[in-house]
Amino acid sequence: MSLFGAIEAGGTKFVCAVGTSPDDLRAEMRIPTTTPAETIAQVIDFFRQQISQLGPLTAIGIGAFGPVDIHTDSPTFGWFLDTPKPGWQQIELAGVLTRELATPIGFDTDVNAAALGEYHWGHGQGFETFLYLTVGTGIGGGAVVNGQLVHGLLHPEMGHIRIPHDLSADPFPGACPFHQDCLEGLASGFAIEKRWQQKAASLPIDHPAWALEAHYLAVGLVNFMLMFSPERIILGGGVMEQTQLFPLIRLQVRQQMSAYLKVPRIMNDIDAYIVPPKLGGKAGIVGAFVLAQQAAKVSS
């Protein structure tokens, strides 16, 4: 059976795995995201060890924090672009692994990979059009439309949409280094920490932070619903582990939609419309296996 590599390249850690599928992992390792040189060297060492022990890899799939260049015909395919992650701007990843490991590479954003994982093994199954939004240190989104990931000029950057910001109700200026009070700048885990001077996980469930967070996320979701008409919305990421957010967001979505789009899934069954990921924190690494399988087909 074909052996694949998978990488979820996150802002705090790189998760690397080898197996025939997500259900048959032979090895897995977590590597802290430090400098590009140090982190990438450890990734290469992991895969070299696995190749020596288990045999050659058919392909490696990478889901990476962005923005990244996902166009295979581009001279900077597989590079990090102007990412907010300090020290990682204009850094090559996919090409380095191709040269060092002599292996085809499938490359996309981490949220697109998570969307693929949920499409094949999770709560995206049975839906041809849905959204996956991750709310963690940053905010990112992947859209599957008619069974395919949305790509274009680059890839979706859902965390950086501009949304209404009432400074009288929320004087926090925002935390995005590029746009200040975009969705990510107001509602990411980093923004929560900066606004309230403590990490989201340490805030009590009745803290006013959660009503404000639900408001901003619902504004974003209503925009995405009107643009993409998704059949389901999956909300993942560390902030969404605060499960009290789900009923607040669902209520806000209904209120902000203001009886527009009177479809049963929103009006009567919204608990099954806006849901957490079935794969939990493994959605990204599972999707990276899909990227590897796709890369293997292209190279064969």
Side-chain angles (χ1 to χ4, degrees), residues 205-229:
I205 61 172
D206 58 350
H207 194 279
W210 303 122
L212 185 64
E213 179 73 3
H215 167 75
Y216 285 136
L217 292 177
V219 171
L221 294 189
V222 167
N223 280 315
F224 301 144
M225 290 162 69
L226 295 171
M227 283 187 282
F228 293 103
S229 196

Side-chain angles (χ1 to χ4, degrees), residues 216-255:
Y216 285 136
L217 292 177
V219 171
L221 294 189
V222 167
N223 280 315
F224 301 144
M225 290 162 69
L226 295 171
M227 283 187 282
F228 293 103
S229 196
E231 298 167 285
R232 172 167 278 177
I233 295 173
I234 302 170
L235 299 179
V239 172
M240 295 311 304
E241 292 175 5
Q242 301 293 322
T243 55
Q244 71 272 16
L245 275 172
F246 279 94
L248 296 174
I249 291 168
R250 292 167 184 143
L251 178 63
Q252 282 279 325
V253 164
R254 275 185 174 154
Q255 290 176 350

Side-chain angles (χ1 to χ4, degrees), residues 111-197:
V111 285
N112 272 351
L116 273 182
E118 288 289 324
Y119 181 63
H120 286 272
W121 282 283
H123 280 156
Q125 289 180 299
F127 298 102
E128 290 299 294
T129 300
F130 72 93
L131 297 182
Y132 182 100
L133 194 76
T134 184
V135 187
T137 304
I139 295 178
V144 172
V145 176
N146 296 327
Q148 300 292 324
L149 286 171
V150 171
H151 293 129
L153 185 65
L154 198 60
H155 49 74
E157 282 286 351
M158 298 184 193
H160 294 274
I161 64 169
R162 311 313 300 267
I163 61 174
H165 180 196
D166 182 353
L167 285 165
S168 64
D170 177 24
F172 177 66
C176 174
F178 291 95
H179 313 117
Q180 203 160 2
D181 61 352
C182 60
L183 180 61
E184 178 173 292
L186 292 173
S188 65
F190 181 65
I192 294 171
E193 182 178 351
K194 294 283 284 185
R195 180 189 284 109
W196 302 105
Q197 298 300 303

